[in-house]
Amino acid sequence: QVQLVESGGGLVQAGGSLRLSCAASGMIARISAMGWYRQVPGKQRELVAAIDSGGTTNYVDSVKGRFTIARDNAKNTVSLQMNSLKAEDTAVYYCRISANFRDYWGQGTQVTVSS
């Protein structure tokens, strides 16, 4: 059984920063891709940022230059540093990992940016 525990969400003013963290535990042989997604009510979940096993990153255009994804392979963690936050970044953020030939999702953490 693999579990993902997210932390770091909350309420912040526009222009502020938050750091999300996700820790994976359990029977994990090897993690390939790790990523962060977000979802607002009535819309599809979208990829925000991803990082592969080699450290190559990918970002949705709307967060480029503001968000940074990083992983710690020794600790099986992935983080998302979010700077210069905007009201449109408000969403529930989910981490996702690809391991053991399947995907696992975190429970989600709310990020609210007040304008």
Side-chain angles (χ1 to χ4, degrees):
Q1 188 77 358
V2 174
Q3 289 186 325
L4 302 183
V5 177
E6 301 163 358
S7 61
L11 173 65
V12 65
Q13 288 188 333
S17 298
L18 282 175
R19 180 182 177 87
L20 305 182
S21 295
C22 176
S25 62
M27 298 294 289
I28 303 172
R30 176 180 172 272
I31 298 176
S32 53
M34 308 180 85
W36 287 94
Y37 291 69
R38 65 188 178 187
Q39 189 170 24
V40 297
K43 292 189 176 182
Q44 286 190 331
R45 192 172 297 186
E46 69 166 352
L47 174 66
V48 176
I51 184 168
D52 67 14
S53 57
T56 299
T57 58
N58 181 41
Y59 299 92
V60 67
D61 286 346
S62 61
V63 308
K64 286 180 179 178
R66 301 188 297 121
F67 291 11
T68 302
I69 189 171
R71 64 189 286 172
D72 184 330
N73 293 326
K75 296 181 179 179
N76 287 338
T77 60
V78 60
S79 63
L80 185 68
Q81 178 65 42
M82 305 185 293
N83 298 328
S84 301
L85 283 161
K86 304 175 181 180
E88 50 263 43
D89 295 319
T90 295
V92 177
Y93 284 70
Y94 299 88
C95 70
R96 170 188 169 185
I97 69 166
S98 297
N100 305 338
F101 304 104
R102 58 162 289 184
D103 294 328
Y104 299 90
W105 291 88
Q107 79 283 2
T109 185
Q110 177 70 45
V111 171
T112 302
V113 184
S114 63
S115 57

